[in-house]
Amino acid sequence: MASLFISNPNLSSPFVPQTLKRLQKNDATAALSYNPLPRSSRSLTVVKCSVDAPYEGNVPKFPRMTVWDPYKRLGVSPYADEEEVWGARNFLLEQYSGHEGSEESIEAAFERLLMTSFKQRRKTKINLKTRLKKQVDESPAWVKNLLSFVELPPMDIIFRRLFLFAFMGGWSIMNSAEGGPAFQVAVSLAACIYFLNEKTKSLGRAFVIGLGALATGWVCGSILVPIIPTVVLHHTWTLELMTSLVAYCFLFLGCTFLK
């Protein structure tokens, strides 16, 4: 019967509708009986590629990463200066370059030492100022009166005036063979009086201090220069030239640090 039905599908038979109904019922039952595993009970295995993990390869690892003491971590002495600390830091960073943990450990130790050095310098500076102020307060009255005539100007003013009088000294030495340094001394005295007048706002006081600095320098130079051995001095350097160099120093000190 089956072979006849297959060979002639257009053949009508009373068994055909029943057979088709039976096949459809079996398919529906099979579909209802299919129960796939729930998603939560499935075990998914995630395959990781080797490039997902950080690759260190043959990069060396800093062996003292867990050392707490920053001096021991960098391998320097507790009495090492700032230059030695910088050198140790640069050497270790170059040696362990490429390893992130090692670089962070080295930088952290270096920053701790740098901060400690800054705090010590600041504390020393404050202590030095306090100590000097205490010594001045405990000094005799005549020392206090003498210090009241002295002031410390900004560094740029000191360097500018030092350059001016150093130039005058060099000019005098270059012209020592031609003549005396009278012109250079006069220019230096005028500059000293100008600076003092600008500071004190008193031309008379500026003249007194300027002439006093020149006279003191000239007297000290006349006393000290003959003591210097002639072997040390150039043959064209006369007593007048050497005395003028000492006078330039006193003029610089007078117009820079005196009130």
Side-chain angles (χ1 to χ4, degrees):
M1 184 67 181
S3 61
L4 179 62
F5 176 74
I6 294 173
S7 62
N8 191 3
N10 295 324
L11 180 63
S12 62
S13 172
F15 298 101
V16 173
Q18 296 179 1
T19 304
L20 292 176
K21 290 181 180 180
R22 191 183 302 113
L23 293 174
Q24 292 175 358
K25 184 177 181 180
N26 293 335
D27 294 338
T29 303
L32 291 174
S33 63
Y34 175 71
N35 185 17
L37 292 174
R39 184 178 299 272
S40 60
S41 63
R42 294 180 183 179
S43 59
L44 300 178
T45 304
V46 180
V47 180
K48 293 185 177 180
C49 181
S50 61
V51 297
D52 295 337
Y55 174 74
E56 296 180 357
N58 295 326
V59 177
K61 181 179 179 182
F62 187 44
R64 298 190 297 272
M65 292 177 59
T66 58
V67 177
W68 182 84
D69 190 355
Y71 291 99
K72 294 181 179 179
R73 189 185 302 180
L74 294 181
V76 295
S77 170
Y79 305 100
D81 54 8
E82 190 172 344
E83 184 178 357
E84 294 179 0
V85 174
W86 273 95
R89 175 250 187 191
N90 296 335
F91 173 76
L92 292 175
L93 285 179
E94 182 179 357
Q95 186 175 4
Y96 298 100
S97 176
H99 193 277
E100 185 177 357
S102 299
E103 293 177 352
E104 292 178 355
S105 177
I106 295 169
E107 288 288 0
F110 173 73
E111 291 176 0
R112 286 179 58 189
L113 291 183
L114 207 62
M115 185 60 64
T116 303
S117 177
F118 171 75
K119 291 180 179 179
Q120 289 179 352
R121 287 199 304 268
R122 186 176 181 182
K123 185 177 180 181
T124 303
K125 186 176 181 180
I126 294 175
N127 292 338
L128 181 60
K129 288 183 177 180
T130 306
R131 194 180 303 114
L132 290 175
K133 185 178 180 180
K134 184 177 180 180
Q135 290 180 357
V136 171
D137 294 338
E138 295 177 354
S139 59
W142 65 272
V143 176
K144 294 180 180 179
N145 295 331
L146 184 62
L147 293 177
S148 63
F149 293 98
V150 180
E151 67 175 1
L152 183 64
M155 293 303 297
D156 56 340
I157 295 179
I158 296 176
F159 283 117
R160 284 203 299 266
R161 295 179 184 179
L162 179 62
F163 174 78
L164 173 63
F165 289 100
F167 173 77
M168 289 297 174
W171 187 10
S172 301
I173 293 174
M174 292 177 62
N175 294 336
S176 60
E178 300 177 0
F183 178 75
Q184 290 85 351
V185 172
V187 173
S188 300
L189 177 61
C192 179
I193 295 174
Y194 171 78
F195 292 142
L196 288 169
N197 181 49
E198 188 180 24
K199 183 192 306 184
T200 61
K201 307 300 181 182
S202 174
L203 186 60
R205 183 180 178 86
F207 264 106
V208 172
I209 296 176
L211 292 176
L214 177 62
T216 304
W218 203 269
V219 172
C220 292
S222 301
I223 297 174
L224 296 177
V225 171
I227 303 176
I228 302 175
T230 57
V231 182
V232 182
L233 303 178
H234 195 268
H235 65 279
T236 59
W237 292 6
T238 61
L239 176 62
E240 183 182 8
L241 173 63
M242 297 298 300
T243 306
S244 65
L245 296 180
V246 178
Y248 295 148
C249 296
F250 277 82
L251 289 173
F252 163 72
L253 294 176
C255 69
T256 304
F257 299 103
L258 293 181
K259 294 182 180 181

